[in-house]
Amino acid sequence: MTTLPVTYADVAAAAKRIEGAAHRTPVLTSATADGMTGAQLFFKPENLQRMGAFKFRGAYNAIAKLEGDARKRGVLAFSSGNHAQAIALAGRLQGVAATIVMPSDAPAIKLAATRGYGAEVITYDRMTEDREALAKRIAAERGLALIPPYDHADVIAGQGTAAKELIEDAGELDYLFVCVGGGGLISGCALAAHALSPGCMLIGVEPEAGNDVQQSLRKGEIVTIPVPKTIADGAQTTFPGKLTFPIMRALVSDVLTVSDAELIEAMRFFVSRMKIVVEPTGCLAAAAVFGKQIDLAGKRVGVILSGGNVDPAALARFIA
Ligand SMILES: *Cc1c(COP(=O)(O)O)cnc(C)c1O
């Protein structure tokens, strides 16, 4: 195989760095979900992670690796929400100042939480402004280390610890379903699964309206799409990353898509049957499993539930 920009050794090193700071989230099972699919499902509920999503893993790892002056000057992140909170909290825990560039229409709960963790928040218009250009300019002006939400080796390595823990705790898997935004989570998880459960098929899941990674993998090159309209606000990315794309190309078997209606159905399932709150984006992987796009009968299947940050009012509307 060609050399990939991040390795399993990086994931294992990240696991040591985040130990004691990140929660080792449990593995959840549900006889009802198994009955619906015929599979043996192992859910990794990162909605129960600190700040409510797996993003804490990558953020903490990336900040932990900063040294000297870079550490003193602080970090900057651009994010539609969870990465912002993750950098804000991981920064506070490690005594590193955080500045966050967020869309002005980000969910209120995410804006408030980011400020609550002590970060400085700078907002921008998602439809007209290029967040990456804006973030780069502010980082250069202030001398801050820019930590992007997915296209960063230390972020990818940190995210992979979710699958490392899942496979260590649940055993080897036939399939691992992971939601895909820019591909940081699935890239890290694919590296972990490849090392710890060889033969495990990695399946990515995107919102129907935002299948930039599916298109990119099928075309063999990075495809850029317009900002997708979907309730999966954590997966409204418009293109895969320069680091995540080659990793996904090498290690991900396929990328499926699900509709917003399927996400709502999955959210309802998690609240009513498993008593957990999973945000729309966090339901992507499970919705594809529940939709039986792949015959999983008799298989051992890992499902990453990526986060749980949804406004209570929005949750009530979705599941009503
Ligand atoms: C960021 C995020 C994703 C997408 O992760 P990528 O690493 O960009 O693929 C999925 N779910 C939640 C809850 C997120 O916060």
Side-chain angles (χ1 to χ4, degrees):
M1 202 194 307
T2 52
T3 325
L4 297 174
V6 188
T7 66
Y8 175 66
D10 298 319
V11 178
K16 290 217 176 70
R17 255 176 238 119
I18 70 168
E19 199 178 346
H23 293 317
R24 187 179 185 99
T25 52
V27 176
L28 301 183
T29 58
S30 159
T32 308
D34 288 357
M36 278 157 42
T37 57
Q40 209 180 341
L41 302 178
F42 301 95
F43 296 98
K44 181 69 169 169
E46 285 294 298
N47 52 312
L48 305 179
Q49 185 52 261
R50 288 188 81 164
M51 56 58 60
F54 72 91
K55 290 248 174 41
F56 182 72
R57 297 171 180 274
Y60 195 93
N61 186 50
I63 291 177
K65 283 196 73 179
L66 288 176
E67 287 171 1
D69 280 350
R71 204 178 174 81
K72 282 193 207 109
R73 283 194 299 266
V75 295
L76 179 137
F78 54 91
S79 166
S80 59
N82 284 333
H83 179 62
Q85 286 169 255
I87 290 288
L89 176 58
R92 195 183 68 185
L93 290 172
Q94 297 180 72
V96 174
T99 303
I100 313 290
V101 176
M102 290 181 87
S104 46
D105 66 342
I109 191 171
K110 293 183 177 178
L111 282 164
T114 306
R115 291 197 175 100
Y117 289 131
E120 179 189 347
V121 174
I122 299 173
T123 58
Y124 73 99
D125 182 347
R126 196 157 51 77
M127 294 300 167
T128 62
E129 286 180 273
D130 177 357
R131 70 171 180 178
E132 202 161 340
L134 180 66
K136 278 188 181 141
R137 201 184 68 225
I138 299 168
E141 280 168 11
R142 302 186 182 187
L144 305 175
L146 175 60
I147 304 180
Y150 54 85
D151 216 20
H152 187 289
D154 302 329
V155 171
I156 293 168
Q159 317 307 32
T161 61
K164 178 178 184 286
E165 292 173 12
L166 173 60
I167 294 164
E168 284 169 354
D169 294 347
E172 291 199 25
L173 302 169
D174 298 309
Y175 287 89
L176 178 59
F177 281 68
V178 186
C179 56
V180 180
L185 177 61
I186 196 171
S187 292
C189 287
L191 290 164
H194 188 70
L196 301 177
S197 183
C200 174
M201 302 256 275
L202 258 291
I203 307 293
V205 186
E206 288 186 299
E208 218 166 61
N211 68 336
D212 51 303
V213 171
Q214 186 185 57
Q215 287 188 42
S216 298
L217 289 179
R218 288 181 184 174
K219 197 163 176 210
E221 62 186 64
I222 290 177
V223 172
T224 300
I225 61 166
V227 177
K229 287 200 171 63
T230 168
I231 59 169
D233 59 285
Q236 281 178 314
T237 46
T238 56
F239 53 85
K242 289 191 185 72
L243 299 180
T244 59
F245 182 66
I247 300 173
M248 291 190 286
R249 216 176 157 189
L251 301 178
V252 173
S253 300
D254 200 6
V255 176
L256 309 174
T257 64
V258 299
S259 67
D260 280 4
E262 288 175 290
L263 293 177
I264 290 169
E265 210 176 301
M267 284 177 88
R268 201 174 280 139
F269 176 86
F270 288 119
V271 169
S272 64
R273 294 305 186 115
M274 293 178 70
K275 322 302 172 193
I276 55 174
V277 172
V278 185
E279 65 183 272
T281 315
C283 289
L284 282 164
V289 169
F290 295 162
K292 298 200 229 184
Q293 295 188 39
I294 295 178
D295 179 12
L296 299 171
K299 303 293 186 191
R300 294 171 53 84
V301 180
V303 185
I304 308 260
L305 308 178
S306 57
N309 292 325
V310 53
D311 271 316
L315 173 70
R317 248 184 292 118
F318 284 136
I319 66 174

